[in-house]
Amino acid sequence: MQKQSIIKYFNHKNFNRPVIAFFALYLVIGLLIHRDYGVTWDESVQREHGKASWDAINDHFDGFFYDKPYFEGEDRKIRSRYGMLFQMVALQLERTFNIRGIREPFLLRHLLGFLLFFTATIFFYKIISQRTRSWKWGLVGALFLILSPRIFAHAFFNPKDAITFSLYLIATYSLLQFVEKRSLKTALIHGFATGILLNARLVGLGIPVLTFGVLFWELIVIRSINKYFPKTKIIGNNLSFNDNPIKSWVMSGVYLVATGFFTFIFWPYLWNNPFGKGVGTLKAFTKYSAWDGQILYWGEYVRSANLPWHYVPSYMLTTIPLVFGPLFFIGLYFILKKVAQSKGWLYQSKEGRTDLVLLAVFIAPLIAVIALNANMYDGWRHTFFIYVGFLGIATLGFYHIWQRRTVKKWIWQVALVLVSLNMVDVTYWMIRYHPLQNAYFNLYAGKNIIYRMEVDYWGQGYRQLYEILAELDPSEKIRVQASSYPGWENFRTLEPELKKRFVYNWEKKSGGYYLTNYRFEEELNNWKNNTSFYKDPVHIVYIRRTPVLGIYCLEDHYD
């Protein structure tokens, strides 16, 4: 019986053979390349936070899981306050499968990050295929997501923002299901998805806020208008549910309780004092200032705590495939056009509700970030999750052009050619410059990007520099140092045979080679002005004429 149910599920019109083949190929590619990416700034510290969370669990069960704790005292208290479900799962897998060494734990996390992103891609496929009632358009949406170079690369090595993105996408799907059918099943699933999302990052609060915003609109606003203005034709009675309002309120309560329950269960820090620590964490989140350093933005260095309002939109539109921006505005145009033409009736159809939810998932957090002047740095990675709504609307913009192909066929033909050419170009780019997809910029960014925007700011490309240097220098022992912390992390996590060829130095006067990702202002200026050893590079990694990584010899400058 169970076997028949599984067969029936995958024989569903949205999961036919082409769809399964598509995702199978995508899965195989991810499994083959997950070892290629370097280690970035936050990966080690996130793993340590996960250990502290496991200590909290182990203490709660009187040392049932292991004898010696990872951390003690204040250090554990500080580290364990973060939601670390992803890291906790990874650590448990380390113990279960006896994964040892320095390199292997990070490779495990790169694999898990990809598998989560792979799962999220399936949910994005389901959102688009259900909205368009076409598995083909669902695949178009999934392909658009996969061919978003920065998001794709971060899915492997970003232990925070990419995890949040994937979970936000899954929670958006569960929200749409809950909007369409208020049942115990959808309430519990949506609560589960929301609880896990909140564990990853508190920006996930946008999902419960949006959920209750939908409820308020349907159960209060619409019913009030229909009750007190029965002759109005602005809003009708065809709501997104066929249940009575009492049942909807009850299921909403179930969702709220489920969200709180799963947030509590997966967040060991809250176990001893859920209300007090929860409020404290929320206050800390609202006052979050993080790093207040200098950021290269359109050729000028600005402080991360005082960014211009256009920082996120600008960074986003210059680091996604070229056609997605215009497609988004086309999709937005058709949404607003339908709202105007329907006099508010757009929300009364399932398709209209999906459009408005996707728009809210993108617009609401973006407005909040701009209005609150949120502390941002390293591009727009902190707001990756808003891409869920953006890309959904962009995909629907392409879909709307296709729908009107019989009226204006030439417009569809032009759009198809432009989108196809851009996707082919992006595919070639991602293969050609693998694994540096995180350094992608489109033509909107202009020339001389290295002087205008930050490129490999997280330093995952250092791994590639070590591999290149090992081929260039046949010496048995190669002295080397790096301009920033990820250079050390990538040295530590090299394959043993490659690592033993290098000796890591901490002072330039020790000679050897200097590796850089041009992250900071001083070294970027030195390179620009050909100062000191920067005037004679051993090797530079270019991406379409943009220098991203460099190797320099120190021997002649510090004798």
Side-chain angles (χ1 to χ4, degrees):
M1 188 70 178
Q2 184 180 5
K3 182 178 179 180
Q4 291 179 348
S5 177
I6 294 174
I7 293 175
K8 182 179 179 181
Y9 178 77
F10 282 102
N11 281 339
H12 188 270
K13 61 181 180 181
N14 286 334
F15 282 99
N16 52 36
R17 290 181 179 178
V19 173
I20 294 174
F22 174 89
F23 281 104
L25 177 61
Y26 170 34
L27 177 62
V28 169
I29 292 173
L31 296 177
L32 291 175
I33 68 174
H34 81 276
R35 302 174 67 90
D36 298 342
Y37 293 90
V39 179
T40 56
W41 274 96
D42 288 359
E43 290 190 72
S44 285
V45 69
Q46 290 293 299
R47 183 169 179 251
E48 300 304 296
H49 290 340
K51 291 178 180 179
S53 293
W54 260 114
D55 278 346
I57 296 175
N58 197 49
D59 281 356
H60 192 80
F61 290 97
D62 296 323
F64 175 81
F65 296 99
Y66 48 86
D67 296 325
K68 185 179 180 180
Y70 293 108
F71 297 101
E72 298 283 0
E74 190 67 21
D75 195 19
R76 180 197 296 185
K77 180 180 178 181
I78 294 173
R79 291 179 181 276
S80 65
R81 68 184 179 183
Y82 301 99
M84 284 288 133
L85 181 60
F86 177 81
Q87 296 296 335
M88 290 161 59
V89 170
L91 279 165
Q92 182 56 45
L93 290 174
E94 286 183 38
R95 291 197 292 263
T96 301
F97 295 101
N98 195 30
I99 296 175
R100 304 295 182 185
I102 299 174
R103 172 176 167 78
E104 286 69 23
F106 293 103
L107 293 180
L108 171 65
R109 283 159 178 77
H110 290 185
L111 174 61
L112 294 177
F114 165 73
L115 291 177
L116 180 59
F117 181 65
F118 172 81
T119 303
T121 307
I122 293 176
F123 279 97
F124 190 69
Y125 159 81
K126 288 173 69 67
I127 290 173
I128 300 301
S129 63
Q130 290 177 10
R131 165 60 180 83
T132 60
R133 300 181 183 182
S134 167
W135 63 267
K136 295 178 181 178
W137 279 101
L139 285 186
V140 170
L143 185 63
F144 281 2
L145 178 54
I146 296 169
L147 295 182
S148 300
R150 290 211 172 202
I151 300 291
F152 180 83
H154 276 261
F156 291 90
F157 59 75
N158 189 327
K160 299 187 297 185
D161 313 293
I163 302 302
T164 302
F165 169 84
S166 295
L167 295 175
Y168 212 96
L169 199 162
I170 294 171
T172 299
Y173 176 80
S174 68
L175 166 60
L176 290 169
Q177 297 302 107
F178 183 62
V179 165
E180 294 308 316
K181 185 177 181 180
R182 311 286 158 72
S183 67
L184 182 61
K185 178 182 177 181
T186 58
L188 290 175
I189 292 175
H190 188 36
F192 176 77
T194 305
I196 294 181
L197 171 61
L198 291 174
N199 181 274
R201 269 196 168 173
L202 285 180
V203 293
L205 284 169
I207 291 296
V209 168
L210 182 56
T211 300
F212 282 97
V214 170
L215 295 172
F216 177 79
W217 175 254
E218 290 190 350
L219 299 176
I220 303 297
V221 177
I222 290 182
R223 291 185 182 277
S224 296
I225 292 177
N226 286 339
K227 179 178 180 180
Y228 295 107
F229 303 96
K231 294 183 179 181
T232 182
K233 294 183 179 181
I234 296 178
I235 298 176
N237 292 308
N238 182 25
L239 304 178
S240 64
F241 54 89
N242 297 318
D243 306 310
N244 59 58
I246 295 177
K247 181 179 179 181
S248 291
W249 281 119
V250 170
M251 291 302 105
S252 302
V254 170
Y255 161 70
L256 185 62
V257 171
T259 297
F261 173 77
F262 288 116
T263 302
F264 172 78
I265 287 296
F266 295 131
W267 202 335
Y269 174 71
L270 303 177
W271 288 1
N272 293 331
N273 181 12
F275 181 77
K277 290 184 176 180
V279 172
T281 301
L282 188 59
K283 287 182 178 179
F285 170 72
T286 58
K287 297 179 181 178
Y288 182 70
S289 59
W291 179 66
D292 183 18
Q294 295 280 2
I295 296 176
L296 180 61
Y297 179 63
W298 289 119
E300 298 181 1
Y301 281 92
V302 295
R303 301 202 70 85
S304 61
N306 190 30
L307 296 173
W309 68 267
H310 47 75
Y311 178 80
V312 172
S314 180
Y315 239 115
M316 181 178 177
L317 288 175
T318 55
T319 56
I320 60 176
L322 197 67
V323 297
F324 288 179
L327 288 179
F328 168 81
F329 288 109
I330 292 172
L332 179 62
Y333 164 76
F334 280 108
I335 291 175
L336 297 179
K337 181 180 179 182
K338 285 185 178 180
V339 170
Q341 292 177 341
S342 63
K343 297 181 179 180
W345 279 79
L346 176 62
Y347 190 81
Q348 306 310 306
S349 69
K350 180 178 179 180
E351 292 79 8
R353 287 189 290 275
T354 299
D355 292 352
L356 293 179
V357 167
L358 289 174
L359 182 60
V361 165
F362 169 66
I363 290 292
L366 180 60
I367 292 175
V369 166
I370 294 173
L372 297 174
N373 192 28
N375 187 302
M376 307 286 292
Y377 48 92
D378 295 343
W380 59 291
R381 66 176 179 85
H382 296 93
T383 53
F384 274 171
F385 63 93
I386 69 175
Y387 194 58
V388 173
F390 178 92
L391 189 59
I393 294 172
T395 305
L396 294 178
F398 195 33
Y399 170 72
H400 285 304
I401 298 174
W402 174 81
Q403 278 190 313
R404 288 154 180 79
R405 66 193 183 283
T406 56
V407 179
K408 295 182 178 180
K409 186 177 181 180
W410 69 271
I411 295 180
W412 163 246
Q413 292 174 335
V414 170
L416 180 61
V417 169
L418 292 177
V419 171
S420 299
L421 288 176
N422 191 211
M423 292 300 96
V424 170
D425 177 65
V426 171
T427 302
Y428 168 78
W429 191 99
M430 293 176 70
I431 296 172
R432 169 67 178 81
Y433 297 108
H434 174 75
L436 292 173
Q437 293 94 350
N438 58 296
Y440 176 82
F441 281 93
N442 59 39
L443 294 179
Y444 296 142
K447 299 179 180 179
N448 299 319
I449 297 173
I450 192 69
Y451 302 129
R452 297 157 63 84
M453 309 286 258
E454 295 177 330
V455 187
D456 183 28
Y457 48 77
W458 255 17
Q460 77 96 3
Y462 277 110
R463 169 183 163 79
Q464 188 174 345
L465 288 183
Y466 284 110
E467 294 172 344
I468 292 171
L469 184 54
E471 293 182 0
L472 293 176
D473 191 330
S475 305
E476 292 184 7
K477 292 294 181 181
I478 305 172
R479 288 177 294 167
V480 67
Q481 63 179 272
S483 64
S484 56
Y485 170 72
W488 163 251
E489 282 292 273
N490 280 278
F491 164 75
R492 289 199 316 123
T493 54
L494 289 173
E495 295 89 339
E497 287 297 313
L498 182 59
K499 183 180 178 181
K500 69 181 183 181
R501 291 191 58 198
F502 291 98
V503 177
Y504 197 90
N505 299 325
W506 293 98
E507 296 290 337
K508 289 187 178 70
K509 292 183 179 180
S510 300
Y513 294 95
Y514 185 75
L515 313 182
T516 180
N517 62 337
Y518 307 108
R519 175 69 171 83
F520 299 108
E521 182 177 6
E522 181 180 357
E523 64 175 344
L524 189 58
N525 288 335
N526 287 336
W527 182 82
K528 182 179 180 180
N529 298 322
N530 289 322
T531 304
S532 186
F533 56 82
Y534 287 95
K535 64 184 178 182
D536 189 23
V538 175
H539 184 86
I540 295 179
V541 176
Y542 287 93
I543 292 182
R544 288 184 175 174
R545 300 182 180 181
T546 297
V548 178
L549 304 161
I551 302 174
Y552 298 88
C553 183
L554 300 173
E555 298 292 346
D556 298 331
H557 300 275
Y558 294 99
D559 290 338

